[in-house]
Amino acid sequence: MSGRDGGDDVQDKYTGPILRRRGQATESTTTDQRLLDSRGDAGWVHTDPWRVLRIQAEFVEGFGALAELGPAISVFGSARTASDHPTYALAEQTGRLLAEAGFAVITGGGPGTMEAANKGACEAGGVSVGLGIELPFESGLNQWVDKGINFRYFFARKTMFVKYSQGFVVLPGGVGTLDEMFEALTLVQTQKVTDFPIVLVGVDYWSGLLAWLRDTALAAGTLSEVDLDRLILTDDVHEAVALMVSAQDGGGAAS
């Protein structure tokens, strides 16, 4: 197996911390080998000034890798979704339709729903991007990622999601997915970013949360109607993609 089929012979090419596969593995240059000091106290690498340099490096590498990505949509969802679960197929369809609509697909680069969306985009010939994060219980990027970056810091990773995405599709997920969804909603609500569509796919899954937001939070006056209306609920992946296309064409984030 070869090419874009995700087979075992897919070659990984690393440009520093950036992973490139298939059509993204085009650069012929390599980065300089890091200098290693094998003697003396290594505690300095854990001090705050050194962390600042690491944080700076993550932003520089992320901006450099994604600056020419083009229109992109982030797809969020659970890493725990099994490959035989209906949500996996839904995420795969989402990735494929977004790629066919001309969007790069950005996920967290992990397994489950993220893998499915990357797979759909990759098999459709689109650009499949994974923004991984260093965690104690997960490692590596899924095999369908064509361009990947692994981050140490969540806030650097979140910046890349927001800066390079024109919209978000949120499939069923847990704490991480909720964090990403509410982060996007907060940034739009506070006008820290340009308004973009946030589409929740899965009426049965998300209706309870939206009902609580409306019946409890909205009723208590802790959020406004316009903020709640920014979360668009659907079961139709085609509708979700159409909303992304409409926003790109100047229609704004529909409500």
Side-chain angles (χ1 to χ4, degrees):
M1 299 172 66
S2 61
R4 302 187 63 86
D5 57 14
D8 293 337
D9 60 343
V10 172
Q11 296 297 310
D12 293 352
K13 181 178 179 61
Y14 287 90
T15 308
I18 301 169
L19 167 68
R20 300 178 186 274
R21 290 180 180 148
R22 288 172 282 267
Q24 295 297 313
T26 57
E27 292 189 1
S28 59
T29 59
T30 62
T31 57
D32 290 338
Q33 183 179 1
R34 291 188 176 94
L35 298 177
L36 301 177
D37 185 357
S38 61
R39 297 175 295 176
D41 182 10
W44 59 273
V45 301
H46 302 296
T47 63
D48 285 344
W50 183 249
R51 288 192 181 100
V52 170
L53 294 178
R54 281 180 168 170
I55 292 166
Q56 176 181 290
E58 293 209 337
F59 281 109
V60 170
E61 294 288 358
F63 292 156
L66 302 177
E68 298 178 352
L69 185 61
I73 302 297
S74 285
V75 179
F76 298 137
S78 177
R80 303 181 183 186
T81 305
S83 59
D84 59 351
H85 194 279
T87 300
Y88 189 98
L90 197 64
E92 191 173 338
Q93 181 186 21
T94 301
R96 184 180 73 252
L97 291 175
L98 286 170
E100 290 174 349
F103 293 106
V105 173
I106 306 175
T107 78
T113 299
M114 295 174 281
E115 174 187 289
N118 284 134
K119 180 182 179 183
C122 181
E123 289 187 331
V127 179
S128 174
V129 179
L131 306 181
I133 185 70
E134 181 180 274
L135 295 174
F137 45 82
E138 292 178 19
S139 61
L141 298 169
N142 69 69
Q143 65 172 329
W144 300 101
V145 169
D146 291 333
K147 178 180 285 189
I149 312 170
N150 268 312
F151 292 88
R152 287 186 177 93
Y153 302 101
F154 265 115
F155 57 85
R157 178 180 184 243
K158 284 182 177 181
T159 299
M160 301 306 151
F161 275 123
V162 174
K163 181 173 177 59
Y164 294 104
S165 297
Q166 281 74 57
F168 295 98
V169 177
V170 188
L171 287 101
V175 172
T177 302
L178 290 169
D179 175 56
E180 291 159 340
M181 179 189 74
F182 281 115
E183 174 84 6
L185 181 60
T186 299
L187 290 172
V188 173
Q189 188 265 343
T190 56
Q191 299 182 26
K192 293 295 185 181
V193 297
T194 304
D195 197 5
F196 46 59
I198 306 170
V199 180
L200 280 58
V201 177
V203 172
D204 290 342
Y205 189 87
W206 294 113
S207 289
L209 173 63
L210 294 182
W212 179 85
L213 289 172
R214 185 171 298 279
D215 298 339
T216 302
L218 182 62
T222 54
L223 57 79
S224 66
E225 184 81 35
V226 66
D227 298 329
L228 191 56
D229 287 344
R230 288 190 172 99
L231 298 175
I232 306 164
L233 181 63
T234 185
D235 274 329
D236 188 349
V237 174
H238 290 85
E239 179 185 358
V241 175
L243 288 166
M244 303 299 157
V245 172
S246 176
Q248 183 191 29
D249 292 341
S255 60

